[in-house]
């Protein structure tokens, strides 16, 4: 197998350029282009599900196609979705803390 070149990554790099041009005011994220998956642009949002949702809407990814999960012993919410965009796969991943559930002291509920 031959070594990959920068030209092999042209699809996700072109998508990155298009996204920067079409959506310059949307939230910034961590991004990754990899020789392992040369047709994929991964966009990751840390502590920011709102940024994930903004980009999901901009890329016209249906809400029902978002996969929701938790990790870190139930402390971290994970959202993921992917779509084809201009010849590459765009993969969105969002991480955010799961809100702590407040405990209600015994005897303070509506029922007694």
């Amino acid at each position: 197998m031959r070594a990959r070149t920068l030209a092999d990554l042209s699809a996700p790099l072109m998508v990155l350029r298009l996204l920067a041009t079409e959506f310059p005011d949307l939230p910034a994220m961590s991004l990754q282009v990899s020789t392992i998956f040369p047709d994929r642009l991964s966009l990751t949002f840390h502590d920011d599900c709102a940024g994930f949702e903004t980009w999901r809407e901009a890329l016209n990814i249906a809400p029902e196609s978002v996969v929701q999960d938790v990790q870190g012993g139930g402390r971290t919410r994970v959202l993921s979705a992917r779509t084809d965009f201009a010849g590459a796969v765009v993969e969105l991943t969002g991480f955010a803390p799961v809100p702590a559930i407040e405990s209600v002291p015994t005897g303070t509920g509506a029922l007694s």
Side-chain angles (χ1 to χ4, degrees):
M1 186 170 147
R2 72 172 177 80
R4 296 219 187 257
T5 65
L6 194 57
D8 294 322
L9 303 175
S10 62
L13 293 174
M14 180 58 73
V15 166
L16 179 59
R17 184 175 180 180
L18 287 171
L19 294 177
T21 301
E22 289 185 33
F23 307 110
D25 296 326
L26 292 188
M29 74 300 283
S30 297
L31 55 94
Q32 181 180 19
V33 175
S34 169
T35 56
I36 297 169
F37 301 105
D39 65 336
R40 185 181 304 170
L41 174 63
S42 297
L43 308 177
T44 305
F45 303 85
H46 295 276
D47 297 325
D48 186 11
C49 285
F52 174 95
E53 282 298 318
T54 300
W55 276 98
R56 182 197 58 74
E57 289 176 7
L59 295 171
N60 294 316
I61 299 173
E64 58 271 10
S65 68
V66 174
V67 176
Q68 298 187 48
D69 204 352
V70 292
Q71 66 183 32
R75 294 185 317 258
T76 303
R77 179 180 182 199
V78 182
L79 302 175
S80 59
R82 58 175 46 184
T83 190
D84 293 323
F85 187 87
V89 175
V90 176
E91 178 178 73
L92 300 178
T93 306
F95 299 97
V98 172
I101 298 174
E102 294 183 33
S103 61
V104 178
T106 306
T108 61
L111 300 175
S112 26

